[in-house]
Amino acid sequence: MTGIRTAAQAKAWLEHQGKSVQEFAREHGVDPATTYQVLAGRKKGKRGEAHKVAVLLGMKDGIIAPDSAAKYDELP
């Protein structure tokens, strides 16, 4: 990716792919409501699920940490 997308660009990107917000959320295992909130600017994507959504949409440069629940599944 060459740059960070604005919310309008992220919406256009989804439309260009022919994907709804719901479909995008299902594919990436994120909450659809959080995805809508990030796209609307109500959540800034600073941490947690909103951060993950913002990174996946290309609205933020960042790292998506592995699911912490998976770490506990591996314990003896």
Side-chain angles (χ1 to χ4, degrees), residues 25-74:
R26 274 193 307 273
E27 286 178 3
H28 294 285
V30 295
D31 180 44
T34 301
T35 306
Y36 280 112
Q37 291 168 344
V38 169
L39 286 168
R42 288 189 297 276
K43 289 197 174 190
K44 304 299 180 198
K46 291 186 176 185
R47 62 189 71 80
E49 181 101 352
H51 168 80
K52 182 176 180 180
V53 169
V55 172
L56 290 170
L57 288 170
M59 295 175 63
K60 177 180 180 182
D61 183 30
I63 297 171
I64 300 172
D67 185 16
S68 59
K71 293 178 187 174
Y72 297 109
D73 292 340
E74 297 171 5

Side-chain angles (χ1 to χ4, degrees), residues 1-46:
M1 186 179 345
T2 59
I4 302 299
R5 292 184 180 112
T6 64
Q9 290 170 329
K11 290 176 191 177
W13 175 71
L14 287 173
E15 186 176 321
H16 180 73
Q17 294 182 58
K19 291 184 184 179
S20 68
V21 173
Q22 294 279 336
E23 186 177 0
F24 173 85
R26 274 193 307 273
E27 286 178 3
H28 294 285
V30 295
D31 180 44
T34 301
T35 306
Y36 280 112
Q37 291 168 344
V38 169
L39 286 168
R42 288 189 297 276
K43 289 197 174 190
K44 304 299 180 198
K46 291 186 176 185

